[in-house]
Amino acid sequence: MRRAALLLIALLPGLAAAGGDLNPPNPFLEVPGAKLRSALPLAGDEAVPVQPFQLQRHPVTNAEFLAFVTAHPRWRRGAVPAALAGEDYLSQWAGPLDPGAHAPAAQPVTRVSWFAAEAYCDAEHARLPDWYEWELAAAASPTVRDARADPAWRQQILDWYAHPGGKGLAAVEGDSASVYGLHDLHGLVWEWVRDFNSLLPPGADPEKFCGATALNARQKEDYAVLMRIALLSSLRAADTGRLLGFRCARDGGGAS
Amino acid sequence: MKHPMRSTLAVAWLLCAAGAASAAPAAGKPTPAAPGDFGPPRGEVIHAILTSPPMVPPPIHRDHPAKVIVELEVREVEKEISEGVSYTFWTFGGTTPGSFIRVRQGDTVEFHLKNHPDNKMPHNIDLHGVTGPGGGAASSFTAPGHESQFTFKALNQGIYVYHCATAPVGMHIANGMYGLMLVEPPEGMKPVDHEYYVMQGDFYTVGKYRERGHQDFDMQRAIDERPTYVLFNGSEGSLVGEHALKAKVGDEVRLFVGNGGPNLVSSFHVIGAIFDRVRYEGGLHEQENVQTTLIPSGGAAIVEFHVRVPGSYVLVDHSIFRAFNKGALAILKADGAEDKTIYSGKEVDSVYLGDKAANLAAVSEARAAEASGTLTKEQQIKAGQSRFTGTCSVCHQGNGAGLAGVFPPLAGSDFLMADKQRAIGIVLNGLTGKVTVNGSEFNSVMPPMSQLNDDELANILTFVRNSWGNSGDAVSADEVRKTRAATKRPEGAAH
């Protein structure tokens, strides 16, 4: 029943849209497995095997999240326990079931806690992507699977960092799709990952403080992604952020 | 649970903090009170006054240690780094350098670091004046829209740098995240007439020096340590013209001078002044009669001097190309009566730079007029004069007369006025070899001035072609642009 209701709303994106702003469908797209040379510092030079997985085409939008809280009252603003979502949870929305003028339908939903993002994906029979999955997908440009050594591509990512975040968000899918068909992995919002809090386990050796950051020759290529790791590591699971959204993933290779 | 905690990685890379290593004290051995620990805080809780550069909070007149609350907000803001050039600064308190913090030795400081919700990045703070791992960095890592709090006792007096230590640390510093904290000695500091806050930093942009528009951070240049700008207080115009530091003849001036880096060491010098005292490296000891003091990246000093004659004193990094080609230049303007027994008033440096500072308004006016399509020849002449002064006047002299046998005259110059196109080409591309000007032969080298913009060159040429007895038509930026486009020259020539 609940699934049917969700499906119905998902099939009628125009109805949920504010200001006639159409919300494009958000299918799960296949990303083939690969060996990833991760940007995680101290990960070493050994490539990490990543199994095939599926990732949603764009970050979850206000319209999509509205459908979710409509079907799941306990995730509405005001109903969620503070332990699961901070007081600024969906605070940019006009009401618990009304995104309002400042949160158009096709914009990524932000100010969503990790718990809420997990719950959303669970309702989609999905999960949040792991960091390595996200990183693998985000390494792709419109033309190649690993564009991280391309200075022009890197600079495009950095241009987003180079402007203050006070302005309004753009709608999803304003960029060119990557080789996987995915949109907005850069240049729009930060995104939660499932293992955001274990990218940097506590109890590290302080002697490595400077060496690990400054002497890592790869950092030049990777620092755009490093900043994402830094952002994720500064968060707790109930936190939200004005520029922090998410998208869901599923195991791939036909095992859905 | 479904959250695989498989990572074997370390947290350490995230926070690069000086003095992070701390050995645990041997068990059972009593720790003697630190020399700067004057006991628990007493009296009223104090909310620290923070000031934006170049201002310094008022001296502390207090005879006891107090609890002091410091609230510092991180803002990511777009600001002008040079005329017509914008840059996204990451700031402590909205400015680069960040807000000046002033406390008394022995104070207990409750520090609140707020990361504005509109910011994109997480940030933290490493205060060099804090005794403890990371200088607060590990305790202050803060996501956008959040606030962190930690408390420390200011045990050591001195002037201390603070900075952001979030990865990539160099980038956070290069974007302007540094400032100074003064820990006053318990007896206070000797009163002076003026206290000012000046901090140097190096900046790395994708575009060249003074290339217009919004400029992004260039990581490769930062790694290569090839700054586009070296600046005092975060902008080329921060301390010149109407923003110059002010003093009167007879005043004693104290400068708190920091260097945020991230890369360069500063050879801090004030043209026309000798420092009476320098508390070098911000430590306890003083050196006297100092001409130039070295300020390391991540270090600071306190310099004091008397202003004895009026005029413009120029603060520079005496690694001097940084001053004249990358912006490391500020002005202290002193008013008052001349004293010809000390100084005759004819020294070249202070005169031409003083004029440069005073006349930047003409340049702005011309730029605005050009943008709106209403630029007149008179505006061009005025703007050209201020650029001529300080660039061309070094050789051709302020009155255009040149130096006999060395630098050709521009005043009444037949060579200059004979061929406008040739004149544009010479200024853009330089000139080497024999020329005859007004019947005299010159054989020297003029460097290309291609680092100047098209409109700057057009204004300069219009000025020299209409001064000192010369009379000609205006040179337009378009004419310069065409000549520039027709010339091949190595990237970065004349920089």
Side-chain angles (χ1 to χ4, degrees), chain B residues 118-327:
Chain B
D118 283 347
N119 291 345
K120 282 184 176 158
M121 300 294 160
H123 299 285
N124 65 358
I125 192 166
D126 167 7
L127 295 128
H128 289 183
V130 168
T131 305
S139 316
S140 63
F141 190 41
T142 310
H146 289 81
E147 175 181 340
S148 297
Q149 181 188 325
F150 62 100
T151 301
F152 63 92
K153 191 166 274 189
L155 293 177
N156 299 71
Q157 61 158 294
I159 182 79
Y160 295 99
V161 168
Y162 65 78
H163 63 90
C164 184
T166 300
V169 179
M171 181 184 185
H172 282 252
I173 293 175
N175 282 345
M177 296 199 81
Y178 44 76
L180 292 181
M181 176 175 74
L182 173 67
V183 182
E184 275 200 30
E187 69 277 13
M189 298 180 81
K190 188 170 73 81
V192 292
D193 299 295
H194 299 282
E195 290 184 329
Y196 289 118
Y197 170 22
V198 176
M199 198 155 180
Q200 182 171 322
D202 26 304
F203 294 86
Y204 303 82
T205 59
V206 173
K208 283 197 278 190
Y209 176 62
R210 287 193 176 167
E211 193 172 313
R212 295 289 161 71
H214 188 84
Q215 292 297 332
D216 290 343
F217 170 71
D218 187 325
M219 182 59 120
Q220 189 59 55
R221 288 188 76 128
I223 292 171
D224 295 345
E225 304 193 17
R226 288 191 301 117
T228 330
Y229 294 89
V230 181
L231 301 172
F232 293 120
N233 290 4
S235 164
E236 244 193 318
S238 64
L239 294 170
V240 298
E242 59 179 314
H243 304 297
L245 304 175
K246 309 261 186 321
K248 288 197 175 59
V249 170
D251 281 352
E252 185 167 21
V253 177
R254 175 183 291 143
L255 302 179
F256 298 100
V257 189
N259 184 7
N263 288 321
L264 300 188
V265 166
S266 174
S267 301
F268 184 72
H269 176 78
V270 176
I271 300 175
I274 297 155
F275 303 137
D276 299 326
R277 283 172 302 282
V278 174
R279 276 182 63 175
Y280 52 94
E281 297 168 7
L284 276 181
H285 297 288
E286 285 184 350
Q287 177 61 289
E288 295 177 21
N289 287 2
V290 177
Q291 56 189 308
T292 300
T293 192
L294 200 65
I295 305 181
S297 173
I302 304 173
V303 309
E304 294 170 359
F305 58 98
H306 274 91
V307 178
R308 304 205 185 271
V309 292
S312 288
Y313 294 82
V314 187
L315 287 60
V316 295
D317 179 341
H318 213 295
S319 296
I320 207 72
F321 273 102
R322 299 174 189 170
F324 297 106
N325 298 74
K326 293 180 177 172

Side-chain angles (χ1 to χ4, degrees), chain A residues 11 29 55 61 111 114 128 131 177 250:
Chain A
L11 285 172
L29 304 182
L55 198 58
T61 62
R111 292 206 179 284
W114 179 88
L128 286 171
W131 168 259
R250 287 176 184 151

Side-chain angles (χ1 to χ4, degrees), chain B residues 378-431:
Chain B
E378 283 62 41
Q379 283 172 322
Q380 276 196 280
I381 291 172
K382 257 177 89 178
Q385 179 173 18
S386 72
R387 280 285 183 247
F388 178 86
T389 310
T391 304
C392 319
S393 65
V394 176
C395 299
H396 293 293
Q397 303 303 304
N399 59 5
L403 281 180
V406 188
F407 304 124
L410 301 173
S413 165
D414 56 357
F415 182 82
L416 170 66
M417 299 308 289
D419 187 342
K420 173 169 152 181
Q421 198 54 46
R422 179 177 65 185
I424 297 173
I426 289 172
V427 176
L428 261 177
N429 304 318
L431 178 66

